[in-house]
């Protein structure tokens, strides 16, 4: 009899996770708030349930009469809901509800990191605009204002002058469901994405990518990343030891024996700072394509096994190689005409192209400008003989994408 995996979310970014589960011989039950979600065609069962609204999840659980053997989400920021559903079925093998809930509040999680001695940017909670003014007078510009309870760059603003401080405070507040914000000092330096596994209490940091902010000025005050590059040229063995030490301390404190840590990091004067940790699988192709193609580690397979309570062989966690992989995005700022999408043409055919995908379809309305990661139009992931070659291959692919508008 097949093990049954409940997958929360089955949009375009979740398809590879569903396909990986099917490849492993699992029966997949998928939920999504979009009745036409792309991943539904690959699932054995599909239910039109929003995975971000716990009331809808609770109603589904009341009427669903079958058992499941594990619960997972791919690149969806819902660790508490994953833990809640897994607890309901008695199959929570990873992050407990208390840890998951804490991790979704950026202020409370930062306070924990500070308590455990993790190096983080200077920060404070915000109750009013005067709190931000006082913070800036103390630490100086630039600063970052962000909701404590949102993800994907929504409501996150880079501010470097007093004239725009109140405006972006109001904007950030409007993007916070609980109307709670934090402000933190912006730290200059290379920014890093990390993906680590905790297996039987041991930490295995497998994915390290140099985040690409070469176009940051194009999108300010929004902080938008344009992909990244593996392997890192900034992250040293010293930084790896520091990161693994931090994760081990946090996992021990939160009683996480098996789980996933997604990190947003920055290096300043050779010191590693943690901007944020998330207790979930990353989105944006990192765990799905970039890590496996760069390292040879089947990250999704290991993550699925963790969520099913299946023992992991250490050989599955050992990188086989260190290949160059580059991810870049297409933005609305890169195309001449705006409007309703009539047709999208993808013509990337090079053997060095790992993935090329459009996030917009015929009938979609293009955004006026990029204000969050969800506004990106398309992506290309490429490899090559070296880092520069991989970057060029990805950019050439993006240049070949044609979006026709009405």
């Amino acid at each position: 009899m097949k093990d049954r995996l409940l997958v929360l979310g089955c949009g375009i970014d979740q398809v590879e996770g569903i396909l990986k589960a099917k490849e492993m011989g699992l029966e997949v039950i998928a939920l999504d708030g979009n009745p036409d979600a792309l991943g539904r065609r690959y699932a054995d069962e599909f239910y039109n349930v929003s995975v971000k609204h716990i009331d809808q999840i609770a109603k589904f659980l009341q009427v669903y009469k079958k058992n499941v053997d594990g619960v997972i989400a791919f690149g969806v920021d819902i660790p508490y809901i994953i833990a809640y559903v897994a607890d309901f079925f008695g199959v929570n093998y990873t992050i407990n509800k208390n840890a998951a809930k804490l991790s979704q509040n950026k202020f409370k999680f930062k306070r924990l990191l500070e308590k455990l001695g993790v190096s983080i940017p200077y920060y404070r909670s915000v109750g009013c605009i005067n709190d931000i003014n006082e913070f800036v007078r103390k630490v100086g510009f630039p600063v970052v204002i962000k909701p404590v309870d949102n993800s994907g760059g929504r409501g996150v603003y880079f501010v470097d002058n007093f004239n725009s401080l109140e405006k972006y405070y109001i904007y950030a507040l409007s993007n916070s469901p609980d109307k709670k914000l934090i402000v933190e000092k912006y730290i200059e330096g290379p920014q890093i994405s990390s993906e680590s596994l905790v297996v039987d209490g041991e930490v295995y940091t497998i994915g390290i990518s140099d985040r690409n902010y070469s176009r940051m000025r194009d999108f300010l005050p929004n902080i938008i990343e344009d992909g990244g590059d593996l392997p890192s040229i900034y992250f040293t063995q010293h930084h790896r030891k520091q990161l693994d030490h931090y994760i081990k301390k946090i996992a021990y404190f939160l009683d996480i024996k098996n789980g996933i840590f997604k990190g947003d990091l920055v290096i300043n004067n050779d010191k590693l700072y943690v901007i944020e940790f998330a207790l979930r699988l990353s989105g944006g192709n990192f765990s799905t394509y970039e890590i496996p193609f760069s390292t040879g580690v089947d990250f999704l397979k290991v993550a699925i096994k963790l969520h099913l309570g299946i023992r992991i062989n250490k050989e599955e966690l050992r990188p086989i190689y260190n290949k160059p992989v580059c991810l870049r995005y297409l933005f609305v700022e890169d195309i001449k005409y705006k409007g309703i999408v009539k047709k999208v043409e993808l013509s990337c055919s090079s053997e060095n192209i790992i993935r090329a995908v459009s996030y917009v379809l015929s009938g979609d309305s293009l955004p006026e400008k990029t204000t969050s990661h969800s506004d990106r139009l398309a992506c290309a992931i490429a490899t090559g003989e070296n880092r520069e070659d991989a970057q060029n291959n990805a950019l050439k692919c993006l240049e070949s994408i044609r979006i026709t508008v009405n």
Side-chain angles (χ1 to χ4, degrees), residues 283-344:
N285 302 289
F286 192 39
S287 60
T288 309
Y289 290 96
E290 295 172 84
I291 294 174
F293 277 90
S294 180
T295 69
V297 175
D298 196 336
F299 205 92
L300 289 186
K301 182 177 181 179
V302 174
I304 290 170
K305 291 175 81 170
L306 275 184
H307 285 78
L308 287 167
I310 298 173
R311 187 165 182 80
I312 308 298
N313 187 318
K314 288 187 178 181
E315 288 301 312
E316 299 178 77
L317 305 168
R318 197 184 309 279
I320 302 169
Y321 37 70
N322 208 19
K323 294 181 179 179
V325 171
C326 171
L327 165 65
R328 291 294 184 269
Y329 288 98
L330 182 71
F331 299 91
V332 70
E333 287 79 5
D334 300 325
I335 62 176
K336 187 174 182 180
Y337 300 106
K338 314 295 189 293
I340 306 298
V341 176
K342 183 178 180 181
K343 184 170 63 173
V344 179

Side-chain angles (χ1 to χ4, degrees), residues 330 341-347 357-364 366 377-378 401-405:
L330 182 71
V341 176
K342 183 178 180 181
K343 184 170 63 173
V344 179
E345 298 173 272
L346 293 171
S347 57
V357 62
S358 171
Y359 298 120
V360 292
L361 304 171
S362 176
D364 288 346
L366 294 179
L377 305 184
I401 296 175
R402 297 287 178 264
I403 298 178
T404 308
V405 299

Side-chain angles (χ1 to χ4, degrees), residues 240-257:
R240 181 182 296 275
K241 289 179 181 178
Q242 192 175 2
L243 176 62
D244 289 356
H245 175 66
Y246 287 158
I247 293 174
K248 194 164 188 174
K249 286 180 71 173
I250 298 164
Y252 180 81
F253 186 87
L254 295 176
D255 193 28
I256 299 171
K257 296 179 178 63

Side-chain angles (χ1 to χ4, degrees), residues 144 158 186-194 208-213 216 223 225 227-229 232 234-235 263-267 273 275:
V144 178
F158 173 97
Y186 180 81
I187 297 180
E188 298 285 350
Q191 294 204 28
I192 307 291
S193 289
S194 68
I208 297 291
S209 172
D210 293 334
R211 305 178 80 166
N212 175 34
Y213 282 103
M216 182 171 164
I223 303 176
E225 169 197 338
D229 302 280
S232 172
Y234 303 108
F235 195 86
D264 294 342
L265 319 169
V266 62
I267 299 170
Y273 292 84
I275 301 173

Side-chain angles (χ1 to χ4, degrees), residues 26-79:
L26 304 174
E27 188 174 339
V28 174
I29 305 95
L31 310 183
D32 200 284
N34 177 7
D36 301 314
L38 184 62
R40 70 171 297 170
R41 70 183 68 172
Y42 306 108
D44 297 284
E45 299 176 25
F46 172 80
Y47 300 92
N48 184 203
V49 177
S50 172
V51 300
K52 293 190 174 182
H53 294 87
I54 201 161
D55 55 336
Q56 291 192 34
I57 294 283
K59 288 179 181 177
F60 168 77
L61 296 178
Q62 288 172 8
V63 299
Y64 191 74
K65 301 303 181 184
K66 301 177 184 178
N67 291 327
V68 301
D69 299 292
V71 181
I72 197 171
F74 303 102
V76 186
D77 192 14
I78 52 170

Side-chain angles (χ1 to χ4, degrees), residues 11-265:
I12 189 170
D13 282 334
Q14 288 76 54
V15 167
E16 288 303 317
I18 294 172
L19 291 176
K20 178 60 64 175
K22 297 294 292 181
E23 177 189 303
M24 293 169 64
L26 304 174
E27 188 174 339
V28 174
I29 305 95
L31 310 183
D32 200 284
N34 177 7
D36 301 314
L38 184 62
R40 70 171 297 170
R41 70 183 68 172
Y42 306 108
D44 297 284
E45 299 176 25
F46 172 80
Y47 300 92
N48 184 203
V49 177
S50 172
V51 300
K52 293 190 174 182
H53 294 87
I54 201 161
D55 55 336
Q56 291 192 34
I57 294 283
K59 288 179 181 177
F60 168 77
L61 296 178
Q62 288 172 8
V63 299
Y64 191 74
K65 301 303 181 184
K66 301 177 184 178
N67 291 327
V68 301
D69 299 292
V71 181
I72 197 171
F74 303 102
V76 186
D77 192 14
I78 52 170
Y80 178 77
I81 289 179
I82 296 172
Y84 173 85
V85 177
D87 276 1
F88 177 86
F89 287 107
V91 294
N92 193 346
Y93 304 109
T94 56
I95 311 297
N96 62 73
K97 283 197 297 187
N98 289 336
K101 187 174 184 178
L102 175 67
S103 75
Q104 290 187 207
N105 184 296
K106 290 181 171 63
F107 173 67
K108 291 181 179 179
F109 207 28
K110 279 185 181 294
R111 195 163 57 181
L112 173 64
L113 299 183
E114 188 176 32
K115 174 182 177 180
L116 294 177
V118 177
S119 296
I120 59 175
Y122 190 71
Y123 75 102
R124 70 165 292 178
S125 62
V126 174
C128 62
I129 185 63
N130 288 338
D131 290 340
I132 303 181
N133 284 323
E134 289 177 10
F135 182 87
V136 170
R137 290 189 183 98
K138 184 174 182 178
V139 305
F141 286 113
V143 297
V144 178
I145 305 171
K146 61 177 72 172
V148 302
D149 49 5
N150 217 328
S151 61
R154 298 174 186 86
V156 178
Y157 297 103
F158 173 97
V159 185
D160 59 3
N161 64 83
F162 279 107
N163 293 334
S164 56
L165 206 55
E166 185 168 5
K167 176 170 69 173
Y168 295 121
Y169 161 73
I170 294 170
Y171 286 174
L173 205 60
S174 69
N175 280 276
S176 172
D178 289 338
K179 304 302 178 189
K180 293 181 179 179
L181 308 178
I182 59 172
V183 58
E184 65 184 33
K185 177 65 177 174
Y186 180 81
I187 297 180
E188 298 285 350
Q191 294 204 28
I192 307 291
S193 289
S194 68
E195 194 107 5
S196 307
L197 294 160
V198 178
V199 180
D200 296 331
E202 294 299 318
V203 178
Y204 301 85
T205 294
I206 298 169
I208 297 291
S209 172
D210 293 334
R211 305 178 80 166
N212 175 34
Y213 282 103
S214 63
R215 300 184 59 182
M216 182 171 164
R217 293 285 166 186
D218 295 345
F219 308 116
L220 289 179
N222 306 102
I223 303 176
I224 307 296
E225 169 197 338
D226 183 15
D229 302 280
L230 291 84
S232 172
I233 59 174
Y234 303 108
F235 195 86
T236 66
Q237 280 301 114
H238 166 70
H239 298 132
R240 181 182 296 275
K241 289 179 181 178
Q242 192 175 2
L243 176 62
D244 289 356
H245 175 66
Y246 287 158
I247 293 174
K248 194 164 188 174
K249 286 180 71 173
I250 298 164
Y252 180 81
F253 186 87
L254 295 176
D255 193 28
I256 299 171
K257 296 179 178 63
N258 294 284
I260 298 160
F261 278 68
K262 170 190 173 293
D264 294 342
L265 319 169

